[in-house]
Amino acid sequence: MRTAIATVCLSGTLNEKIEAIAAAQFKGVEIFENDLLSFNGTPAEVRRMIEGLGLETITFQPFRDFEGMPDPQRSKVFARAERKFDVMEELGCDLLMVCSNVSPDSLGGIDRAAADFHELGERAAKRGMRVAFEALSWGRHIHDYRDAWEVVRRANHPAIGLVLDSFHVLARGTDLATISSIPSDRIFLVQMADAPKLNMDYLSWSRHYRCFPGQGDLPIDDFMLALNATGFDGLLSLEIFNDRFRAGSARSVAVDGQRSLIAMLDELRRRTGAASPDFPALPPKAACSGVEFVEFAVDERGAVEFERTLSGLGFQKAGIHRSKAVTRWRQGNINIVVNADKEGFAHSFNITHGTSVCALAMRVGDASGTVDRAVKLLDQPFQQPVGPGEMNIPAVRGLGGSLLYFVDHKTGLDRLWDVDFETTEADDFAGAGLKSVDHVSQSMHYEEMLTWLLFYMSLLDVRKTPIQTVIDPGGVVQSQAIETRDGTLRLILNASQSPRTLSSRFLSDLFGSGVQHVAFTTDDILATVDRLKTGGVDLLPIPENYYDDLEVRTDLSAEDVERLRANNILYDRDDDGEYFQVYTKTMEGGFFFEIVERRRYQGYGAVNAPIRLASQTHLASGGTPSEL
Ligand code: MG
Ligand code: MG
């Protein structure tokens, strides 16, 4: 299989696109005509640039409104095609992609279209070229790949073949069974695109919301299974139209594209044993069983304040690092690492971001296998010097330049607390009833959201939940959860296009994307809140109106609601159970903690998010709790 990417996927000028494509280790490129038209140079110059970077132009596209035209337009479209062949000759490209006609002037009829393609095939073959036909999902007469295949079959010309575009096929929910009966040498090009499930017309959906395989909701793996059944070993190219990609960095989006192909082909190999020589097998997706630690980068002043907060939350100092200014704080199954060392990664991170989460460590089945998979997925591994006898914990770069560590039992990495730390823990410590990390919420730029979604989804054995739209007083926030099936690991990705949302303001306060809050679980939210009050922890005040409404819309007793009100506890329920949430007040830099009690509930309290955001916004702009 030869893989490629279309220039339309990326932002920038044609040169920038081509350079990004080469840097992301693609071998082939589909030239979009508009990118050529807006390029200040001849097609021959484009060819030199492409070949100079070791790339090959696999397709020139799109050629529109071709088949089924009545005269006199019919002769004109053939003249137009000849001119495109001229350009392709200069470009060094031998495959023209034709998408199905959308013109109201066009006439239907499979035989008429087949005759047109036969003639086009004759013309192309004379020049050593080929033509591939794609059914647009909004084509006027042909919008089903099965009809396009019938046209190609009846055209019966060796220079005429089919394009299968996963978006057009899957968006309409077309049956995939026919794919496996198409001879693989008649499929000249396969274009890959995923998309979120949306209820809109095919054209707008396709032009604005396509995304890389694995970033959306379409059954891409089923499509690949059907394609694999044909024995297809030809051109497979990413063709994505996405507003975020157009606003994002070409370099990073191109790498995302390559990463999505690597993960998709690995999944295919796992299901079918189909190997692609250019895509070596990866270790399996990491089986995660929770967060081993959350590491905060602090300076000396920040450390004192932050450790006071941790004490208030019921954590005790459980260990002191043997060689660095690093402490371990522990409660239940939760480990917080406070790193105030004056050298190394955390120190640099603190200089840029202030007190903030600089690393997360995940418990996985196989830490080195995870990093091996990450490297093969083009993620960036990270290493820094460790002291003699100390553990070297494998890591990769995560969101906003932070680190993602992997700790396993298999190779003894979970002994790090004994090896690297001197224990200072008291046996009879009571704590505040916090048990484990429930979820970690990360805020990021809107354009990066799909990048990090793919990063986690391709590396870890997790699933994503549908995107939630949360209303913040300053705008709309998109929120998506990624979680293991058993819920031991839950990550939330948040992003907003409005600069005034708390999520966006966090990015500017922190100077980058990062962890905005960490939620812990308790089995008894009331007892925990009592203990936090004793510990002097300031909880986020919740407006009275919220509780008045709660009394009306739930069957909670007046006493229950009163208890929630008195403790600033938010409440939600789903089909399975109940959810209780409290928040600490926001710390300098915008970070806060959340504490939740889950009673078989599976969500994240999205219904309460606007209440919480309004209260946080009120306090952030100098308001007092009593004004709420
Ligand atoms: Mg296409
Ligand atoms: Mg939360």
Side-chain angles (χ1 to χ4, degrees):
M1 201 137 19
R2 287 151 68 210
T3 55
I5 184 169
T7 53
V8 74
C9 302
L10 307 177
S11 64
T13 61
L14 186 57
N15 333 27
E16 288 163 348
K17 292 174 187 226
I18 302 290
E19 278 163 18
I21 288 168
Q25 302 172 23
F26 282 95
K27 299 279 184 290
V29 53
E30 273 188 71
I31 299 280
F32 237 70
E33 188 171 28
N34 265 343
D35 283 319
L36 183 69
L37 298 181
S38 57
F39 178 71
N40 192 15
T42 64
E45 281 166 344
V46 173
R47 175 185 192 158
R48 278 195 289 281
M49 174 168 75
I50 286 175
E51 290 177 353
L53 287 164
L55 291 165
E56 181 196 356
T57 300
I58 60 146
T59 312
F60 183 61
Q61 72 134 320
F63 190 68
R64 297 187 193 281
D65 296 338
F66 164 72
E67 83 282 6
M69 284 305 209
D71 276 323
Q73 289 109 307
R74 186 174 186 276
S75 41
K76 281 190 186 154
V77 292
F78 279 100
R80 193 153 58 83
E82 292 286 356
R83 286 222 297 281
K84 299 303 165 194
F85 291 148
D86 295 340
V87 171
M88 288 164 59
E89 224 152 64
E90 259 199 89
L91 264 181
C93 165
D94 73 350
L95 184 64
L96 178 68
M97 201 205 88
V98 177
C99 48
S100 56
N101 206 324
V102 299
S103 164
D105 295 339
S106 65
L107 305 171
I110 297 280
D111 283 329
R112 182 195 310 275
D116 287 346
F117 273 102
H118 185 88
E119 182 174 342
L120 191 59
E122 286 288 293
R123 290 172 182 245
K126 275 192 194 132
R127 310 178 62 153
M129 291 181 182
R130 299 178 307 148
V131 173
F133 182 41
E134 170 190 70
L136 290 175
S137 43
W138 58 90
R140 189 163 183 90
H141 302 287
I142 294 177
H143 44 248
D144 184 319
Y145 80 92
R146 294 169 296 194
D147 291 338
W149 163 233
E150 192 52 24
V151 169
V152 167
R153 201 181 65 79
R154 292 192 201 179
N156 192 23
H157 195 286
I160 298 296
L162 182 68
V163 179
L164 284 176
D165 179 312
S166 65
F167 176 86
H168 295 307
V169 173
L170 298 171
R172 295 190 75 103
T174 319
D175 184 43
L176 298 175
T178 303
I179 291 181
S180 29
S181 64
I182 302 173
S184 64
D185 61 343
R186 307 308 300 147
I187 305 170
F188 284 4
L189 175 66
V190 173
Q191 292 182 317
M192 295 306 302
D194 200 344
K197 275 217 175 75
L198 296 170
N199 215 340
M200 64 188 346
D201 67 284
Y202 296 121
L203 190 142
S204 312
W205 189 14
S206 175
R207 291 274 166 84
H208 301 283
Y209 295 96
R210 285 184 177 219
C211 53
F212 291 131
Q215 291 178 328
D217 302 321
L218 298 179
I220 290 290
D221 291 333
D222 295 346
F223 177 86
M224 288 305 292
L225 281 180
L227 181 67
N228 186 63
T230 69
F232 177 79
D233 192 28
L235 289 170
L236 184 88
S237 179
L238 295 164
E239 191 204 36
I240 317 293
F241 313 85
N242 185 297
D243 295 352
R244 296 196 219 192
F245 293 1
R246 290 192 180 105
S249 134
R251 292 261 172 170
S252 133
V253 171
V255 171
D256 285 350
Q258 188 68 270
R259 179 176 295 131
S260 75
L261 285 180
I262 295 169
M264 182 186 82
L265 292 174
D266 184 61
E267 182 59 31
L268 182 68
R269 185 189 55 80
R270 208 165 290 284
R271 288 196 186 192
T272 64
S276 321
D278 292 342
F279 291 87
L282 312 186
K285 287 184 179 181
C288 297
S289 51
V291 174
E292 177 64 29
F293 65 81
V294 182
E295 180 172 347
F296 287 81
V298 298
D299 58 15
E300 254 172 310
R301 186 188 63 87
V304 176
E305 207 173 312
F306 186 65
E307 293 183 349
R308 196 181 301 132
T309 304
L310 290 180
S311 295
L313 287 166
F315 285 86
Q316 74 157 321
K317 194 189 281 188
I320 296 174
H321 197 278
R322 295 186 197 278
S323 67
K324 298 177 188 164
V326 173
T327 53
R328 172 199 188 191
W329 292 71
R330 183 178 177 189
Q331 183 171 188
N333 219 353
I334 311 162
N335 293 298
I336 304 279
V337 170
V338 180
N339 192 329
D341 212 43
K342 290 210 170 55
E343 281 172 50
F345 169 77
H347 179 65
S348 333
F349 200 87
N350 176 259
I351 289 174
T352 316
H353 303 291
T355 297
S356 52
V357 174
C358 64
L360 291 172
M362 313 235 166
R363 296 182 189 119
V364 295
D366 175 3
S368 64
T370 303
V371 171
D372 185 17
R373 181 176 173 93
V375 170
K376 289 183 167 138
L377 284 165
L378 310 180
D379 301 336
Q380 291 173 39
F382 173 86
Q383 274 203 312
Q384 71 176 352
V386 295
E390 287 172 13
M391 307 204 84
N392 197 349
I393 303 174
V396 296
R397 290 278 179 178
L399 178 70
S402 66
L403 298 182
L404 196 57
Y405 286 107
F406 304 103
V407 176
D408 65 13
H409 179 67
K410 183 180 159 185
T411 59
L413 287 166
D414 57 352
R415 292 181 13 255
L416 87 132
W417 307 117
D418 300 329
V419 175
D420 289 2
F421 289 80
E422 216 158 291
T423 302
T424 58
E425 206 166 20
D427 286 342
D428 56 349
F429 190 78
L434 304 187
K435 298 271 177 171
S436 60
V437 173
D438 184 85
H439 60 270
V440 175
S441 174
Q442 302 184 310
S443 288
M444 60 202 68
H445 296 284
Y446 186 70
E447 298 74 34
E448 322 176 86
M449 201 166 169
L450 287 170
T451 295
W452 293 103
L453 177 70
L454 180 64
F455 168 81
Y456 291 120
M457 297 287 296
S458 58
L459 184 58
L460 313 174
D461 186 13
V462 286
R463 62 182 176 188
K464 57 184 162 53
T465 66
I467 288 194
Q468 301 259 13
T469 299
V470 173
I471 305 302
D472 175 291
V476 172
V477 179
Q478 306 279 355
S479 183
Q480 177 150 46
I482 295 169
E483 52 192 30
T484 54
R485 265 158 232 288
D486 63 1
T488 50
L489 180 75
R490 300 171 192 262
L491 299 171
I492 319 279
L493 313 186
N494 288 321
S496 170
Q497 281 180 290
S498 158
R500 293 195 303 116
T501 57
L502 268 191
S503 174
S504 295
R505 283 155 61 180
F506 174 75
L507 297 187
S508 39
D509 289 352
L510 185 78
F511 298 105
S513 308
V515 173
Q516 190 168 13
H517 78 263
V518 175
F520 303 125
T521 60
T522 172
D523 291 341
D524 185 345
I525 192 102
L526 287 171
T528 292
V529 169
D530 262 351
R531 170 63 175 78
L532 299 194
K533 283 181 182 164
T534 323
V537 176
D538 264 347
L539 294 178
L540 182 74
I542 301 302
E544 290 288 317
N545 288 342
Y546 172 79
Y547 295 100
D548 296 341
D549 177 58
L550 200 57
E551 205 166 334
V552 182
R553 73 182 163 88
T554 66
D555 56 6
L556 291 176
S557 70
E559 294 74 35
D560 284 341
V561 172
E562 184 46 40
R563 262 193 293 276
L564 299 179
R565 184 202 311 266
N567 292 290
N568 292 301
I569 298 172
L570 294 160
Y571 175 84
D572 190 26
R573 64 171 42 168
D574 60 14
D575 294 343
D576 300 317
E578 295 177 295
Y579 195 50
F580 303 84
Q581 311 167 266
V582 289
Y583 293 90
T584 66
K585 279 192 185 160
T586 302
M587 299 166 16
E588 203 181 315
F591 179 87
F592 55 93
F593 288 109
E594 177 183 6
I595 292 151
V596 304
E597 181 183 342
R598 271 182 199 279
R599 295 185 186 161
R600 292 177 304 281
Y601 173 95
Q602 288 309 317
Y604 297 90
V607 65
N608 293 326
I611 312 293
R612 183 257 296 175
L613 287 163
S615 177
Q616 287 173 324
T617 305
H618 173 77
L619 296 186
S621 51
T624 63
S626 58
E627 292 161 357
L628 276 170

